Amino acid sequence: MIISIASGKGGTGKTTLAINLALSLEKNVQYLDCDVEEPNGHIFVKPTFDEKKSFGMPIPVVDFDKCDYCGKCGEICEYNAIVVIKQNVLVFPDLCHSCAGCWLVCPQKAISTKDKEVGQLELGNRNGIEFIHGKLNVGESLSPPLIRAVKEKMDPTKTVIIDSPPGTSCPVIEAIKESDFVVLVTEPTPFGFNDLKLAVEMVRKIGLNFGVIINRADVGNRDVHDYCTRENIPILMEINNDRKIAEAYSRGVPIVELYPEYRDKFLALYQDIERRVGA
Amino acid sequence: MKIAVTAKGGSLSAQTDERFGRCKYFVIVDSDTMGFTIIENPSFGAASGAGPAAAREISKHSVEVLLTGNVGVNAQQALDAVGVKVVTGIGGLTVKEAVENYLKQQ
Ligand code: SF4
Ligand code: SF4
């Protein structure tokens, strides 16, 4: 079963939920941190990494013995990442999206490719949890290919927990699209409510089964609760605001290690999700 | 010698624009005659790579010197490749003043 933990905005406790669920399940779990711009699940899961791979994307290399400066590569590039100026073809690796347009269009077959590293993939373990994350290099902005690379490591015989990037844009959809169930984490504040509505719209559009977890449920107002009732969205769990949880979080200590009794709550959450997926 | 100035409007008296890649116009002034041509910058609204594309545009007009405000790394590389000399520091001037200033300093 594939469960994604997502959130319309950052800072709602999405990662906290994902790691505590994974740690509660203990066995046969795979944790995929797809929040590749800011992966932080490893701080809590504390896996031992035993494999590190560079992740690269192809960029063009021009063979000037074959090039006749026709300009076609520059015309097709949406990003001005390859520009033909007089008797010169310039490539700007930081602008290239690796769309392959230039090397496919080149009439002289003058363009080959080389890989440019955009991030790394790290694979590790902690007890029964197989941990995989992608780390996008600073300054890179194109995360979906790296998210795909993380997901290629997915093992469907395990319970897969995906920590999605925050928001509702392409990288999120890339992370969650094959999930059996999506957990949307929110807060009962006006901002939280607004972002939740956008996230609900997104998962409904993709057609995924989903439910909501309300974090810091006792601060803010009842708008999120009322909305979920009105829209027939299950509220799977509510976690009250607790200074100790927040403090432990800042030291990299998950809730289930602070309050072992929470383990049962997360197991119940898992069983609830299992039932909803089965139904 | 042809001098390109990044500008907010299409005339000699227009305000200069400190952006290079996404300026609205290039006013290209011939320093020998003070005659000028106006080019709309095709990469004014470009989402990506405005600098290199703007460099390609001005290189079509045999420009030797560019007077502007800020030039990004990619744009600088493109301008170097075609041998355009970049001079910055045109803030607050009109196109005409920027050109006169530059010529005085030579
Ligand atoms: S399309 Fe090929 S031949 Fe034409 S300018 Fe680009 S690299 Fe050169
Ligand atoms: S691969 Fe695509 S984005 Fe990259 S330079 Fe070629 S055409 Fe442009």
Side-chain angles (χ1 to χ4, degrees), chain A residues 5 13 16-25 213 237 239 245 254-257 259-273:
Chain A
I5 320 290
T16 309
L17 261 306
I19 48 172
N20 283 291
L21 182 57
L23 291 172
S24 302
L25 294 173
I213 289 185
M237 192 175 190
I239 300 175
I245 293 182
I255 307 177
V256 292
E257 276 171 27
Y259 297 127
E261 64 273 22
Y262 259 86
R263 199 174 287 264
D264 291 336
K265 292 194 189 184
F266 283 106
L267 284 176
L269 167 70
Y270 175 74
Q271 282 153 4
D272 184 17
I273 292 172

Side-chain angles (χ1 to χ4, degrees), chain A residues 141-165:
Chain A
S141 55
L142 210 64
S143 57
L146 181 53
I147 293 174
R148 268 197 293 281
V150 172
K151 289 178 66 191
E152 270 167 26
K153 302 281 168 202
M154 188 144 70
D155 177 356
T157 66
K158 296 189 173 175
T159 301
V160 182
I161 310 243
I162 295 178
D163 186 0
S164 153

Side-chain angles (χ1 to χ4, degrees), chain B residues 1-94:
Chain B
M1 176 179 55
K2 282 190 176 167
I3 303 173
V5 187
T6 50
K8 291 179 177 157
S11 70
L12 279 183
S13 57
Q15 279 297 310
T16 52
D17 192 334
E18 290 198 78
R19 297 168 306 173
F20 168 60
R22 292 190 175 83
C23 68
K24 191 96 203 259
Y25 297 98
F26 294 109
V27 180
I28 298 177
V29 183
D30 186 330
S31 61
D32 302 325
T33 63
M34 284 311 267
F36 65 96
T37 357
I38 292 153
I39 306 164
E40 274 194 53
N41 179 6
S43 57
F44 170 62
S48 157
R56 179 184 51 210
E57 186 62 24
I58 61 168
S59 78
K60 290 182 196 160
H61 301 270
S62 319
V63 165
E64 284 172 54
V65 177
L66 167 70
L67 306 182
T68 188
N70 306 308
V71 175
V73 185
N74 289 337
Q76 184 68 55
Q77 194 190 332
L79 291 162
D80 286 349
V82 284
V84 172
K85 181 177 161 195
V86 180
V87 179
T88 56
I90 55 165
L93 303 177
T94 64

Side-chain angles (χ1 to χ4, degrees), chain A residues 74-75 78-86 88 90-92 94-95 97, chain B residues 43 46 48-50 52-53 55-56 59-60 62 74-75 77-78 81-82:
Chain A
E75 282 161 31
E78 289 261 347
Y79 309 98
N80 289 317
I82 188 163
V83 175
V84 184
I85 305 185
K86 295 184 174 168
N88 238 312
L90 301 173
V91 175
F92 301 97
D94 57 321
L95 302 178
H97 284 50
Chain B
S43 57
S48 157
R56 179 184 51 210
S59 78
K60 290 182 196 160
S62 319
N74 289 337
Q77 194 190 332
V82 284

